[in-house]
Amino acid sequence: MSGPQDLYPWLVADVGGSNARFGWVEGPGAPVARLRSYAVQDFPGLEEAVRRYLQDLAAELQAQGRGCPAPRHAAVAVATAVAGDEVVLTNSRWRFSRQALQAALQLQSLRVLNDFEALALSLPRLRADQVRAWGGPLPAAAGCLAVIGPGTGLGVAAVLQTGQGWQALPGEGGHATLAPADDFESALLTHVRGRHAHVSAERLLSGIGLPTLHEAVCAVLGSQAAPEPLTPELILERGLAGQDPLCARTLDSFCAMLGGFAGSVALTLGARGGVYVGGGIVPRLGEAFFQSRFRERFEAKGRFQSYLAGIPTVLITDTLAAMGGVSLAIEQSLPGAAVVKF
């Protein structure tokens, strides 16, 4: 006679443009555990990365005198829009067939979802130690919650409270046109439009966008020499250390424009339950983010300033938070599964 235990173990993964993170759910009510991260550039594709994780997991369990059963169900969050069988990652060379991957790994089921759909699903269960709310405690999850996240790219999604539970609302809002809020930002966008016909939010407010934003800041402020091409890491390092005024101005513009974009997302979705900020860039800003113009610009929407003033903004400090949403995606598709802790 089969029971809930027969549905396990689960393999969960969160695949971005730079890193692929994997985790393991051993049984009913077990937390997402055995977390490991691998560089995307080190593998030709997702299947090879999965097999490496399973190999490393088997070695870890063997060292503890335990066997490693094959996963029965899996869910993978990917940094791209998901439609049809073929999945093509936006900011890496990886691509795969959902059916072929499920067959190759001999899974009973494979759920593939957008990475920010997964992060949105994690929001209602986030703990206080996984976040930092702007100016107050973590708000109770209710209504509509939105999440934006500058990482390699810029993700946007939401989750809506319904009578049947939390429903994720995935989207590609990071590719929406970025709007300026003052003359300096208008000049920045005018400069970038000289090279790109469409200036999306992701074009400037992301890891791939920071060098473009830095170059535009240098041009608009009249830097005499052509700006030294800098990686996002160097822009962050020099800007936060106060070593380079142009890098510091770049980070100031980044935070301000991200705040304006977040406010637009809140208005568009009616996300009165809160707007969460994920991704790998903002947590690295530390206290500078909370001293920036992010919140000021979030609320700076004219007649709707008071509407936005009542909406919490929350930084997700746990870079593995999306794993909880990935596991919830499996839980929602398997009625007999127990609630996963994360």
Side-chain angles (χ1 to χ4, degrees), residues 317-341:
T317 55
D318 182 356
T319 58
L320 295 174
M323 286 299 209
V326 179
S327 65
L328 179 57
I330 302 179
E331 180 186 318
Q332 289 180 336
S333 65
L334 300 174
V339 172
V340 175
K341 301 174 183 177

Side-chain angles (χ1 to χ4, degrees), residues 42 67 76 96 111 116 124 145 222 230 253 277 302 308 334 338:
D42 291 343
V76 180
F96 64 93
R111 174 85 185 271
F116 267 77
L145 317 177
L230 297 180
S253 295
V277 181
L308 288 159
L334 300 174

Side-chain angles (χ1 to χ4, degrees), residues 83-133:
D85 179 64
E86 190 75 9
V87 178
V88 180
L89 277 292
T90 302
N91 294 312
S92 84
R93 68 182 188 280
W94 282 11
R95 62 191 304 155
F96 64 93
S97 158
R98 293 200 273 185
Q99 293 182 0
L101 183 62
Q102 180 176 342
L105 299 176
Q106 298 182 319
L107 298 166
Q108 294 179 21
S109 71
L110 172 63
R111 174 85 185 271
V112 180
L113 62 161
N114 174 265
D115 59 341
F116 267 77
E117 179 182 358
L119 189 56
L121 283 171
S122 77
L123 300 182
R125 295 184 182 178
L126 288 177
R127 304 182 307 270
D129 63 340
Q130 294 176 291
V131 301
R132 179 178 173 183

Side-chain angles (χ1 to χ4, degrees), residues 209-285:
L210 262 180
T212 301
L213 178 58
H214 175 257
E215 192 273 334
V217 167
C218 292
V220 172
L221 292 181
S223 176
Q224 296 297 316
E228 174 190 357
L230 297 180
T231 64
E233 290 74 18
L234 281 174
I235 295 169
L236 287 164
E237 178 184 332
R238 294 182 182 183
L240 291 173
Q243 299 172 343
D244 186 324
L246 293 173
C247 287
R249 186 61 182 271
T250 299
L251 296 185
D252 175 74
S253 295
F254 175 90
C255 291
M257 296 174 80
L258 187 67
F261 178 73
S264 295
V265 169
L267 289 175
T268 301
L269 295 172
R272 305 191 78 164
V275 175
Y276 290 69
V277 181
I281 294 179
V282 174
R284 295 170 63 182
L285 296 175

